[in-house]
């Protein structure tokens, strides 16, 4: 198949003939894998990442770090089982060219790393990446002493002129459009001469669990971090300069990527088990247990993992998804099949994600016969009898999985460019059909 055919090809979304009953091994977390790669690359000694996610976004991150001189060796882990990556920190260097694809973590986490490189680092990516905001990182790095050429766009493409070090210190940013602006500065902060103090000045801050994930992972590799959760000032994070330790880290399953499989249990009145679901995690996807239970399911967390069961009924929900915005497409898909209306709030920032997710969800569900309207910060969804049709994905992995959820209950749904799911979930079609055939 020619490259362009991949984007226009239509995948017939499988229709469920009955209740699913399956165990689904969900690959590792993209958010944890990419943060772990950055921290391991900045460490003072080698480290291991066990069971990392191999997807477009994580391979872009690994490739970018390699171009700046970091050694990343793929092979069997130190315990002799499973795939692992050995990360060998080195003196960061330029000139280098980084392809960010359309990965928010790569385009935002690596410019601060590039300030520590000895030479220029050019960042470029997919056409859609040019539309995603980077001003929060660019402006902050300039305040902290970096030299960046972006022709005043506040977006890609851009060049970071690394000087081998960065002064660091205090910076105020408005991270209302993406919590990744805060995480980006914190991850490299221990390597800045004065560390970093990040003060968020905006009125809202989406996806706080992702910032808590960053803080937890920094502390796990020896960084000293003061944060609001640990008694610090609201909206202020301080990272002390110091060496980072190389660690042996096992990557958790990506709980947000478990969403379509749990949704399948809810939609079909079946049961899905996700092994290795952590008892304690900072991943936003852990909220699925609460959200999908309220929508009509039940769950039990055992030593083996999470067992989620649908009741055969799907209820509407009124929910603020501000901290877990990435779950919105999947929740919207389930809500379109519910027995009562839903209101999804707190997610205005989704207009700046891989695509404008609010506009995309509204258009695609309505074209299947739905009744979805946008609000200032979310969606109102009134369930209607849906029909088949083409569900466009806008090169957005979570749009593709949302369409697959609807396809379980609605015959004739065709997903355009299901291959985009490889961004975070390799072989989604295989996992999906395997679940239905189990």
């Amino acid at each position: 198949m020619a490259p362009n055919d991949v984007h226009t090809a239509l995948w017939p979304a499988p229709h469920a003939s009955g209740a699913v009953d399956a165990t689904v091994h969900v690959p590792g977390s993209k958010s944890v894998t990419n943060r772990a790669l950055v921290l391991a690359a900045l460490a003072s000694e080698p480290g291991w990442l066990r069971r990392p996610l191999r997807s477009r976004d994580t391979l872009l991150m690994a490739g970018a770090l390699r171009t700046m001189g970091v050694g990343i060796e793929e092979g069997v882990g130190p315990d002799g089982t499973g795939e692992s990556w050995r990360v060998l920190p080195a003196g960061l260097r330029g000139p280098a060219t980084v392809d960010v694809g359309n990965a928010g973590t790569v385009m935002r986490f690596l410019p601060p790393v590039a300030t520590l490189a000895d030479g220029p680092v050019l960042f470029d990516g997919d056409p859609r990446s040019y539309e995603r905001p980077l001003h929060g990182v660019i402006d902050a790095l300039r305040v902290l002493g970096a030299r960046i050429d972006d022709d005043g766009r506040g977006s890609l493409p851009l060049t970071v002129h690394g000087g081998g070090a960065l002064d660091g210190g205090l910076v105020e940013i408005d991270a209302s459009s993406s919590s990744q602006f805060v995480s980006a500065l914190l991850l490299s902060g221990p390597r800045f001469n004065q560390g970093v103090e990040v003060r968020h000045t905006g009125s809202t801050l989406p996806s706080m669990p992702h910032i808590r994930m960053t803080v937890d992972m920094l502390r796990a590799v020896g960084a000293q971090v003061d944060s609001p959760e640990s008694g610090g000032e609201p909206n202020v994070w301080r990272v002390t300069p110091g060496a980072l330790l190389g660690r042996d880290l096992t990557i958790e399953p990506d709980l947000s990527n478990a969403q379509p499989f749990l949704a399948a249990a809810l939609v079909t009145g079946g049961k899905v088990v996700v092994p290795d679901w952590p008892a304690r995690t900072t991943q936003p996807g852990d909220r699925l247990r609460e959200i999908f239970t309220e929508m009509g399911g039940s769950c039990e967390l055992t030593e083996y993992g999470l067992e989620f069961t649908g009741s055969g009924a799907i209820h509407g929900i009124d929910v603020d998804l501000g901290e877990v915005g990435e779950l919105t497409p999947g929740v919207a898909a389930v809500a379109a099949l519910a027995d009562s209306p839903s209101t999804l709030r707190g997610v205005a920032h989704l207009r700046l994600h891989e695509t404008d997710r609010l506009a995309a969800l509204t258009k695609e569900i309505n074209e299947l016969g739905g009744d979805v309207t946008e609000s200032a910060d979310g969606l109102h969804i009134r369930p209607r009898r849906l029909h088949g049709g083409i569900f466009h994905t806008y090169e957005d992995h979570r749009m593709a999985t949302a369409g697959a959820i609807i396809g379980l209950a609605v015959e004739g749904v065709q997903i355009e460019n299901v291959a985009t799911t490889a961004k975070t979930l390799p072989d989604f079609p295989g996992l999906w059909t395997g679940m239905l055939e189990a």
Side-chain angles (χ1 to χ4, degrees), residues 41-42 68 90-94 110-119 121 146 160-167 187-193:
L42 296 176
M68 288 190 273
L92 298 169
R93 63 172 184 267
L110 289 189
V113 175
T115 67
L116 304 170
D118 187 8
V121 180
V160 177
H161 295 274
L166 191 71
D167 288 341
L187 286 167
S188 291
R191 289 287 302 273
F192 298 162
N193 294 340

Side-chain angles (χ1 to χ4, degrees), residues 98-179:
V98 168
D99 175 13
V100 309
N102 191 20
T105 52
V106 181
M107 70 181 74
R108 292 171 180 143
F109 292 178
L110 289 189
V113 175
T115 67
L116 304 170
D118 187 8
V121 180
L122 169 65
F123 290 84
D124 207 342
D126 298 351
R128 168 62 185 171
S129 71
Y130 291 14
E131 303 171 30
R132 302 185 68 181
L134 291 180
H135 53 85
V137 172
I138 294 169
D139 295 346
L141 289 175
R142 286 181 176 140
V143 169
L144 297 174
R147 181 182 155 214
I148 300 175
D149 293 335
D150 69 333
D151 293 333
R153 287 183 303 271
S155 62
L156 292 170
L158 61 88
T159 299
V160 177
H161 295 274
L166 191 71
D167 288 341
L170 170 64
V171 64
E172 294 185 344
I173 64 169
D174 182 350
S176 300
S177 60
S178 177
S179 68

